[in-house]
Structures are given as C-alpha cells and as structure tokens.
Amino acid sequence: MKIVIVGCGLIGVTTAYSLRQRGHDVTVLERAEGPAREASFANGGMLTAGMCQPWNGPGSWRILLRSLVRSDTALQLRLSVLPRLMRWGTCFLRNSTAAAFERNCRSNLRLALHSLEAMHALREQAQVEFGRAARGSLGVFRDREAWRSACRETVQLFSDGLVARRLTVAELVELEPALRPIAHKLSGAIHYLSDEVGDAQRFCEALAKVARALGVDFRFGSNVRGLEMHRGRVAAVITENERFVADRYVIAAGAYSTALLKDAGIRLPVQPAKGYSVTFKEANSIVGLRRPMIDHDLHAVLVPFEDGSVRTAGTAEFAGFDSSLKPARVRNLLALTRELLPEAQLNEGSAIPWCGLRPSSPDGVAIIGATPVENLWVNSGHGHLGWTLAAGSARLFTSLLSGDAPDIDPNPYSLKRFS
Ligand SMILES: Cc1cc2nc3c(=O)[nH]c(=O)nc-3n(C[C@H](O)[C@H](O)[C@H](O)COP(=O)(O)OP(=O)(O)OC[C@H]3O[C@@H](n4cnc5c(N)ncnc54)[C@H](O)[C@@H]3O)c2cc1C
C-alpha cells in the first residue's frame, strides 16, 4: 500500500519504519528540517512502564482550579484557553474518577510493556544507538501517605506485568548515593525495574536514517496545509507546493493532529500540554546519578544521560499553542533542580532550556488506528508518555492498518471510545 504520514516526531518516525518493514511504500511529510524538532526534541528521556499513570488522577480537578490563581502548581491552566478546552476538559474530568483512572492506567501499562518489548526488537533489527541505559527508574516520595498509596497502586499493577520493588530511604541511598543530600526529606521510593532511559531525538535521527535506507521517502520542509476531501474520503494531502496521493493517510502530527483532522470532519480530542526541560551538559561527573528519578511531590524528573548530561523536566501547562519559553517556568525548573540536587552546584548559566507541546488526550491514553474516514488513520495523543509508547504504538498501528492480528487488544486505544 502507498502510505503518506504527516509528522516526523517519535510517533511518525517509528510508524514509518514499522510500516516499511511490513512492506508498505511510505512517504513522511514533515514541516521541520529534520526529525524530532517539536515535542520529541529534549524530553525526559524515560522509557517508563512504571510511571504509566495518566495525569487525571482522582482530585486532579482541585489542582487545576488552584492553578488559575497560583503559578507554582504542577498542572497549570490558563484562563484564556478555557473556552477552547471546555469539551476536552469535561472529558478529562470524567476520566478522573478512581475507576476510570485505574482502567486508563492499565491501558497505558499494557501498551508501555508492549513498547519496551517492541523497542528491544527494533534496536536489534535497526541497530540504532541512542545512549540507552537500562537500570530501571526511581519514584521518590516526600509524603509518607503518598508513598504508601503509590506502593499499593503499584502492587495492583503486578498482575498486568509491572515489575517494581519498594525501597526504604536507606535502601534508596545505597542504590543511588547521589540522593543522600535529600534523604532526610524523603519517606520512601519505588524502583521500577524494567524502565530505561535514552535520548529520544538521537533515536529519531538514527531511525530516520535507517528507514530512509530501507526506502522511506522523507520530505522535510514540507508543511501540510490540509487534506483534500472527495466523497467522504481523503483524495490528497496538500503541502505548500505539492499534492500527495496515497492509499492511506496517517496523521502523526503530535499536538497539531487535531487541526489536520478537522478538514475531514473528525473531532480528535488532543490538546497541547506544554512542558519544560533544562539540560546541564557534562554535569553527571558532579552529580553522579545512575538512573532517572521522579520526585512525585515536586512533579519533576531528573535524568542522567549516557553522554554525561543531566536533565530536569516537568510542568504541564494548558496554554494553547504558545510554544514560547517563559523565563518564569525555566526559573521554576532550575529551582526544582536545586531542591533535588542541593549540593551539586550546577552551572545554571550554561543550562539549556527547552519546551515542547505534549499531544494530550483527555483520558491520558493514546489514540491509535482507524478514523470514521476509511482511508484516514491516526497515531497521536501520547501525552507525557510518547517516548515510552512510540515503538509499541507503531507496531500496533502497523498491524491494524495492514489487517494483521494485533499483539495486544487495540480497543482501549481506539478513537471510537470518545464517540
Ligand atoms: C518536557 C517533556 C518531557 C517529556 N518526557 C517524557 C519522558 O520522559 N518519557 C516519555 O515517554 N515521554 C515524554 N514526553 C512526551 C513525549 O516527548 C511526546 O509524547 C512525544 O514527543 C510526542 O511525539 P509525537 O511524534 O506525537 O509529536 P511531535 O514530536 O511533536 O511530532 C509531531 C511532528 O509533526 C510535525 N507537524 C505538525 N503539523 C504539521 C504539518 N501541518 N505539516 C507537517 N508537519 C507537521 C511537527 O513539526 C512535529 O515534528 C515528554 C514531553 C515533554 C514536553
């Protein structure tokens, strides 16, 4: 089949590679000059089945309401975007009951475990290097009750294949001595044993190179202006100066997927959630962190990369498509880094700030597969887990589009769940 994919972030590039491996003829249209220049550029780097929870846990509405008057909450909502977020927000809140949260958590976990496996196979097959390290990840807790509750939730996920162990603070410090300076502030931790870390942007560059050698036609600098519709089907994808015709059209344009699908009359419930990171080059010689960790009370991840850099990432801001770097949010992330590494004395002046728009669905679960328009498909809405879920989503997507039996139940990821 001839397939055109719009978008060359983590999702577009893994989908292109997977479809090509299955024997399809693939063209990728990307407006940037290379792969992974938007949300996939400088993310937290964590391939994490352990932290598969959607953001809308029970009580998240309280955090969102508080964010309207405070600027230091983990989830930030801007008043100006409220009208546009009404429908999405209602669905977000509907999915924050305990039962919905648990169901969505399990859906993410199953796709994450499938993805870790798919990623191992992809690595073997494509021989891509992206600074992978597989020492697990750590969730650390300051609040004792939050730790206990997270331990209970984690145990419940063992039946779905999650592998993790509970750590006391003493055990944590023994495993990760870099955390000794904050040990007195912590109540406990969880070690997610199957989690990994790697540089997503490096991965995309490397995989695109392999895919190109296999015959995928990457058209960088191609801004898709819209879909040309004819008799309820997509007739072509239109860029600034070309028209691309295919058997199937795939929208993998991250947070921008919603606007593109509108041309076909499809309402995709994906909204941008802005996140920030700061990267300290060659800092791990001072920090000495061996595995990534998330501080659940500060809502920030601290990640050591194999090239010696250390990255802090966090914040989720519903502020529409404003992709500008706000100095206040960068300062906030630098302050969090100081809280996490009070003795490291990192050179903040040399920190590289970045922000990206996570493509977020209202239930926190990705949207993978067919749409009501027969030749138009979607792979988007991976939110804060797009790096973790990319390889498995691509594999699931390829099975569905090719009419093969999928390895996992595709229903939790279907767009139909919102109809
Ligand atoms: C601060 C931060 C930290 C994160 N940390 C982690 C983490 O630790 N682990 C994890 O699993 N996930 C993490 N994520 C989430 C992950 O990065 C995203 O889910 C993922 O990058 C989404 O990939 P994507 O391909 O869907 O979107 P993108 O990477 O945004 O790619 C979409 C592409 O489509 C292109 N495009 C859009 N519109 C058009 C058009 N009209 N024409 C042509 N091209 C178009 C864009 O240029 C872009 O290249 C993090 C995200 C952020 C922001």
Side-chain angles (χ1 to χ4, degrees):
M1 251 187 286
K2 185 162 177 40
I3 300 169
V4 164
I5 300 176
V6 182
C8 191
L10 275 163
I11 304 303
V13 76
T14 48
T15 305
Y17 173 79
S18 176
L19 287 168
R20 182 69 198 126
Q21 284 292 352
R22 177 63 179 73
H24 299 294
D25 176 1
V26 183
T27 299
V28 179
L29 305 178
E30 166 58 55
R31 64 186 172 193
E33 292 304 326
R37 302 293 161 92
E38 297 241 357
S40 309
F41 186 73
N43 69 15
M46 291 174 68
L47 295 152
T48 172
M51 295 168 209
C52 58
Q53 299 82 356
W55 284 339
N56 31 350
S60 48
W61 61 272
R62 261 186 243 115
I63 305 177
L64 277 175
L65 274 186
R66 222 179 302 142
S67 80
L68 290 171
V69 289
R70 285 177 55 173
S71 63
D72 59 346
T73 51
L75 283 178
Q76 286 274 312
L77 179 60
R78 292 278 158 269
L79 264 179
S80 55
V81 298
L82 264 184
R84 188 146 50 84
L85 272 187
M86 272 316 200
R87 181 184 280 263
W88 187 95
T90 309
C91 191
F92 180 92
L93 292 178
R94 239 194 349 255
N95 276 284
S96 63
T97 62
F101 178 71
E102 190 188 329
R103 183 185 64 236
N104 296 331
C105 211
R106 287 186 195 278
S107 299
N108 280 347
L109 176 61
R110 279 193 282 269
L111 186 56
L113 292 172
H114 177 58
S115 265
L116 284 170
E117 197 191 304
M119 190 61 154
H120 292 180
L122 187 156
R123 246 188 28 252
E124 293 276 298
Q125 197 179 47
Q127 294 288 311
V128 282
E129 280 298 325
F130 53 95
R132 167 184 177 257
R135 301 187 190 100
S137 73
L138 296 165
V140 308
F141 297 82
R142 291 164 191 248
D143 181 78
R144 180 163 294 276
E145 194 36 52
W147 175 47
R148 288 198 176 127
S149 152
C151 288
R152 282 193 296 273
E153 278 172 22
T154 302
V155 169
Q156 279 169 14
L157 295 174
F158 283 178
S159 58
D160 283 275
L162 183 64
V163 188
R165 61 184 178 136
R166 175 191 167 116
L167 298 177
T168 62
V169 175
E171 288 165 335
L172 171 71
V173 169
E174 195 178 329
L175 188 69
E176 199 62 79
L179 300 180
R180 192 180 299 282
I182 56 165
H184 62 287
K185 295 187 175 172
L186 302 178
S187 295
I190 301 176
H191 185 191
Y192 302 102
L193 290 128
S194 52
D195 285 4
E196 302 184 2
V197 67
D199 184 329
Q201 204 255 340
R202 210 171 130 193
F203 169 84
C204 289
E205 295 272 2
L207 190 62
K209 212 176 261 177
V210 175
R212 173 171 274 153
L214 291 172
V216 174
D217 183 9
F218 287 94
R219 303 288 189 98
F220 294 112
S222 297
N223 183 23
V224 172
R225 292 161 57 112
L227 307 176
E228 183 185 306
M229 301 299 293
H230 182 66
R231 296 192 174 161
R233 287 169 60 86
V234 181
V237 169
I238 310 296
T239 65
E240 304 286 344
N241 38 31
E242 266 186 277
R243 186 173 174 272
F244 291 84
V245 176
D247 301 306
R248 297 285 182 275
Y249 301 87
V250 181
I251 305 300
Y256 301 89
S257 303
T258 309
L260 287 167
L261 285 168
K262 225 182 214 161
D263 285 351
I266 293 164
R267 205 192 285 269
L268 183 78
V270 169
Q271 289 288 337
K274 190 172 175 180
Y276 281 77
S277 72
V278 285
T279 304
F280 300 87
K281 293 275 179 205
E282 292 164 21
N284 209 26
S285 51
I286 315 172
V287 174
L289 198 63
R290 287 173 47 75
R291 42 185 77 66
M293 69 109 152
I294 180 165
D295 185 315
H296 283 280
D297 296 79
L298 300 184
H299 300 283
V301 298
L302 185 65
V303 184
F305 285 92
E306 285 299 274
D307 67 356
S309 57
V310 174
R311 183 173 292 160
T312 313
T315 75
E317 202 178 356
F318 292 97
F321 286 89
D322 172 7
S323 56
S324 61
L325 269 171
K326 302 279 185 235
R329 303 304 290 174
V330 175
R331 278 198 301 275
N332 183 42
L333 213 45
L334 290 172
L336 290 178
T337 312
R338 260 176 266 131
E339 285 237 12
L340 295 167
L341 300 167
E343 291 177 7
Q345 299 195 340
L346 296 171
N347 179 357
E348 292 185 0
S350 69
I352 304 167
W354 170 83
C355 66
L357 302 177
R358 305 174 184 94
S360 300
S361 74
D363 58 1
V365 178
I367 303 169
I368 303 166
T371 73
V373 173
E374 186 248 325
N375 62 347
L376 181 58
W377 290 61
V378 64
N379 195 356
S380 185
H382 296 77
H384 61 298
L385 290 170
W387 178 210
T388 305
L389 303 177
S393 299
R395 194 196 260 185
L396 174 63
F397 183 90
T398 299
S399 306
L400 294 171
L401 187 137
S402 311
D404 302 335
D407 295 328
I408 60 169
D409 176 10
N411 290 314
Y413 318 102
S414 163
L415 175 59
K416 278 194 193 137
R417 69 186 190 271
F418 297 107
S419 53

Coordinates of all heavy atoms in Angstrom, one line a residue, residues 54-94:
P54 N -2.1 8.2 34.0 CA -2.5 9.5 33.4 C -2.4 10.6 34.4 O -2.3 10.3 35.6 CB -3.9 9.2 33.0 CG -4.2 7.7 33.2 CD -3.1 7.2 34.1
W55 N -2.5 11.8 34.0 CA -2.4 12.9 34.9 C -3.7 13.1 35.7 O -3.7 13.7 36.7 CB -2.2 14.2 34.1 CG -0.8 14.4 33.7 CD1 0.3 13.8 34.2 CD2 -0.3 15.2 32.6 NE1 1.5 14.2 33.6 CE2 1.1 15.1 32.6 CE3 -0.9 16.1 31.7 CZ2 1.9 15.7 31.7 CZ3 -0.1 16.8 30.9 CH2 1.3 16.6 30.8
N56 N -4.8 12.7 35.1 CA -6.1 12.9 35.8 C -6.4 11.9 36.8 O -7.4 11.1 36.6 CB -7.2 13.1 34.8 CG -7.1 12.4 33.5 OD1 -6.1 11.8 33.2 ND2 -8.2 12.3 32.7
G57 N -5.6 11.9 37.9 CA -6.0 11.0 39.0 C -7.1 11.7 39.8 O -7.5 12.8 39.5
P58 N -7.8 10.9 40.6 CA -8.8 11.5 41.4 C -8.3 12.7 42.2 O -7.2 12.7 42.7 CB -9.2 10.3 42.4 CG -8.7 9.1 41.8 CD -7.5 9.5 40.9
G59 N -9.1 13.8 42.1 CA -8.6 15.0 42.8 C -7.9 16.0 41.9 O -7.5 17.1 42.3
S60 N -7.6 15.6 40.6 CA -6.7 16.5 39.8 C -7.5 17.8 39.5 O -6.9 18.8 39.2 CB -6.4 15.8 38.5 OG -7.5 15.2 37.9
W61 N -8.8 17.7 39.5 CA -9.6 19.0 39.3 C -9.2 20.1 40.3 O -9.2 21.2 40.0 CB -11.1 18.7 39.3 CG -11.6 18.1 40.6 CD1 -11.7 16.8 40.9 CD2 -12.2 18.9 41.7 NE1 -12.2 16.7 42.2 CE2 -12.5 18.0 42.7 CE3 -12.4 20.3 41.9 CZ2 -13.1 18.4 43.9 CZ3 -12.9 20.6 43.1 CH2 -13.3 19.7 44.1
R62 N -8.9 19.6 41.5 CA -8.6 20.6 42.6 C -7.3 21.3 42.2 O -7.2 22.5 42.3 CB -8.4 19.9 43.9 CG -9.6 20.0 44.8 CD -9.4 19.5 46.2 NE -10.3 18.3 46.3 CZ -10.0 17.1 46.5 NH1 -8.7 16.8 46.6 NH2 -10.8 16.1 46.7
I63 N -6.3 20.5 41.7 CA -5.0 21.1 41.3 C -5.2 22.1 40.1 O -4.7 23.2 40.1 CB -4.0 20.0 40.8 CG1 -3.9 19.0 41.9 CG2 -2.7 20.6 40.4 CD1 -3.0 17.8 41.5
L64 N -6.1 21.7 39.2 CA -6.4 22.6 38.0 C -7.0 23.9 38.5 O -6.6 25.0 38.0 CB -7.3 21.9 37.0 CG -6.5 20.9 36.1 CD1 -7.5 20.2 35.2 CD2 -5.5 21.7 35.2
L65 N -8.0 23.8 39.4 CA -8.7 25.0 39.9 C -7.7 25.9 40.6 O -7.7 27.1 40.4 CB -9.8 24.6 40.8 CG -11.2 24.3 40.2 CD1 -12.2 24.1 41.3 CD2 -11.6 25.4 39.2
R66 N -6.8 25.3 41.4 CA -5.8 26.1 42.2 C -4.9 26.8 41.2 O -4.5 27.9 41.4 CB -5.1 25.2 43.1 CG -4.8 25.8 44.5 CD -4.1 24.8 45.4 NE -4.7 23.5 45.5 CZ -4.1 22.4 45.6 NH1 -2.7 22.3 45.5 NH2 -4.7 21.3 45.8
S67 N -4.6 26.2 40.1 CA -3.6 26.7 39.1 C -4.1 28.0 38.5 O -3.3 28.8 37.9 CB -3.3 25.7 38.0 OG -4.3 25.7 37.0
L68 N -5.5 28.3 38.5 CA -6.0 29.5 38.0 C -5.5 30.7 38.8 O -5.4 31.8 38.3 CB -7.5 29.5 37.9 CG -8.1 28.5 36.9 CD1 -9.6 28.3 37.0 CD2 -7.7 28.9 35.4
V69 N -5.2 30.5 40.1 CA -4.8 31.6 40.9 C -3.4 31.5 41.4 O -2.8 32.4 42.0 CB -5.7 31.7 42.1 CG1 -7.1 32.2 41.7 CG2 -5.9 30.4 42.9
R70 N -2.7 30.3 41.2 CA -1.3 30.2 41.6 C -0.5 29.8 40.4 O -0.9 29.1 39.5 CB -1.2 29.1 42.7 CG -1.7 29.6 44.0 CD -1.7 28.6 45.1 NE -0.4 27.9 45.2 CZ -0.1 27.1 46.2 NH1 -1.0 26.7 47.0 NH2 1.1 26.6 46.2
S71 N 0.8 30.1 40.4 CA 1.7 29.8 39.3 C 2.7 28.7 39.6 O 3.5 28.4 38.8 CB 2.4 31.0 38.8 OG 3.2 31.5 39.9
D72 N 2.5 28.0 40.8 CA 3.5 27.0 41.1 C 2.9 25.6 41.2 O 3.6 24.7 41.7 CB 4.1 27.4 42.5 CG 3.1 27.5 43.6 OD1 1.9 27.5 43.3 OD2 3.5 27.5 44.8
T73 N 1.7 25.4 40.7 CA 1.2 24.1 40.7 C 1.7 23.2 39.5 O 2.1 23.8 38.5 CB -0.4 24.1 40.6 OG1 -0.8 24.9 39.5 CG2 -1.0 24.6 41.9
A74 N 1.7 21.9 39.7 CA 2.3 21.0 38.6 C 1.5 21.1 37.3 O 2.0 21.2 36.3 CB 2.3 19.6 39.1
L75 N 0.1 21.1 37.5 CA -0.7 21.3 36.3 C -1.1 22.8 36.3 O -1.6 23.3 37.3 CB -2.0 20.4 36.4 CG -1.9 18.9 36.1 CD1 -3.3 18.3 36.4 CD2 -1.4 18.6 34.7
Q76 N -0.9 23.4 35.1 CA -1.3 24.8 35.0 C -2.4 25.0 33.9 O -2.2 24.5 32.8 CB 0.0 25.6 34.6 CG 1.0 25.8 35.7 CD 0.6 27.0 36.6 OE1 0.4 28.1 36.1 NE2 0.6 26.8 37.9
L77 N -3.4 25.7 34.3 CA -4.4 26.0 33.3 C -4.5 27.5 33.1 O -4.6 28.3 34.1 CB -5.7 25.5 33.9 CG -7.0 25.6 33.1 CD1 -6.9 24.9 31.7 CD2 -8.2 25.0 33.9
R78 N -4.5 28.0 31.9 CA -4.6 29.4 31.6 C -6.1 29.8 31.3 O -6.7 29.1 30.5 CB -3.8 29.8 30.4 CG -2.3 29.7 30.6 CD -1.7 30.9 31.3 NE -0.5 30.6 32.0 CZ -0.3 30.2 33.2 NH1 -1.4 30.0 34.0 NH2 0.8 29.9 33.7
L79 N -6.6 30.8 32.0 CA -8.0 31.2 31.8 C -8.3 31.4 30.3 O -9.4 31.0 29.9 CB -8.2 32.5 32.5 CG -8.8 32.4 33.9 CD1 -8.9 33.8 34.5 CD2 -10.1 31.7 33.9
S80 N -7.3 32.0 29.6 CA -7.6 32.3 28.2 C -7.9 31.1 27.3 O -8.6 31.2 26.3 CB -6.4 33.0 27.6 OG -5.3 32.2 27.7
V81 N -7.5 29.9 27.7 CA -7.8 28.7 26.9 C -9.0 28.0 27.3 O -9.4 27.0 26.7 CB -6.6 27.8 26.8 CG1 -5.4 28.4 26.2 CG2 -6.2 27.1 28.2
L82 N -9.6 28.4 28.4 CA -10.8 27.7 29.0 C -11.9 27.4 27.9 O -12.4 26.3 27.8 CB -11.3 28.4 30.2 CG -10.8 27.9 31.6 CD1 -11.5 28.7 32.7 CD2 -11.0 26.5 31.7
P83 N -12.3 28.5 27.2 CA -13.4 28.2 26.2 C -13.0 27.1 25.2 O -13.9 26.2 25.0 CB -13.5 29.5 25.5 CG -12.9 30.6 26.4 CD -11.8 29.9 27.1
R84 N -11.8 27.1 24.8 CA -11.4 26.0 23.8 C -11.3 24.6 24.5 O -11.4 23.6 23.8 CB -10.1 26.4 23.1 CG -9.7 25.5 22.0 CD -9.0 26.2 20.9 NE -7.9 27.1 21.4 CZ -6.7 26.6 21.6 NH1 -6.4 25.3 21.4 NH2 -5.7 27.4 22.0
L85 N -11.1 24.7 25.8 CA -10.8 23.4 26.5 C -12.1 22.8 27.1 O -12.1 21.7 27.7 CB -9.8 23.6 27.6 CG -8.4 23.5 27.3 CD1 -7.5 23.6 28.5 CD2 -8.1 22.2 26.5
M86 N -13.3 23.4 26.9 CA -14.5 23.0 27.5 C -14.8 21.5 27.3 O -14.9 20.8 28.3 CB -15.7 23.8 27.1 CG -15.9 25.1 27.9 SD -15.7 24.8 29.6 CE -16.5 26.1 30.3
R87 N -14.9 21.1 26.1 CA -15.3 19.8 25.8 C -14.2 18.8 26.2 O -14.5 17.8 26.9 CB -15.5 19.6 24.3 CG -15.9 18.3 23.8 CD -16.0 18.3 22.3 NE -17.2 18.8 21.8 CZ -18.3 18.1 21.5 NH1 -18.3 16.8 21.6 NH2 -19.4 18.7 21.0
W88 N -12.9 19.1 25.9 CA -11.8 18.3 26.3 C -11.7 18.2 27.8 O -11.5 17.1 28.4 CB -10.5 18.9 25.7 CG -9.3 18.1 25.8 CD1 -8.7 17.2 24.9 CD2 -8.4 18.1 27.0 NE1 -7.6 16.7 25.4 CE2 -7.3 17.2 26.7 CE3 -8.4 18.7 28.2 CZ2 -6.3 16.9 27.5 CZ3 -7.3 18.4 29.1 CH2 -6.3 17.5 28.8
G89 N -11.9 19.3 28.4 CA -11.8 19.4 29.9 C -12.9 18.6 30.6 O -12.6 17.9 31.6
T90 N -14.1 18.6 30.0 CA -15.1 17.8 30.6 C -14.8 16.3 30.6 O -15.0 15.6 31.6 CB -16.5 18.1 29.8 OG1 -16.6 19.5 29.7 CG2 -17.6 17.5 30.5
C91 N -14.2 15.9 29.4 CA -13.9 14.5 29.3 C -12.7 14.2 30.2 O -12.6 13.1 30.8 CB -13.5 14.3 27.8 SG -13.3 12.6 27.4
F92 N -11.8 15.2 30.4 CA -10.6 15.0 31.3 C -11.1 14.7 32.7 O -10.7 13.8 33.4 CB -9.8 16.3 31.2 CG -8.5 16.3 32.1 CD1 -7.3 15.9 31.7 CD2 -8.6 16.7 33.5 CE1 -6.2 15.9 32.5 CE2 -7.5 16.8 34.3 CZ -6.3 16.4 33.8
L93 N -12.1 15.6 33.1 CA -12.6 15.4 34.5 C -13.4 14.1 34.6 O -13.4 13.5 35.7 CB -13.5 16.6 34.9 CG -12.7 17.9 35.0 CD1 -13.7 19.1 35.3 CD2 -11.7 17.8 36.1
R94 N -14.2 13.8 33.6 CA -14.9 12.5 33.6 C -14.0 11.3 33.8 O -14.4 10.3 34.4 CB -15.7 12.3 32.3 CG -17.2 12.2 32.6 CD -18.0 11.7 31.4 NE -17.4 11.6 30.1 CZ -17.6 12.5 29.1 NH1 -18.4 13.5 29.3 NH2 -17.0 12.3 28.0

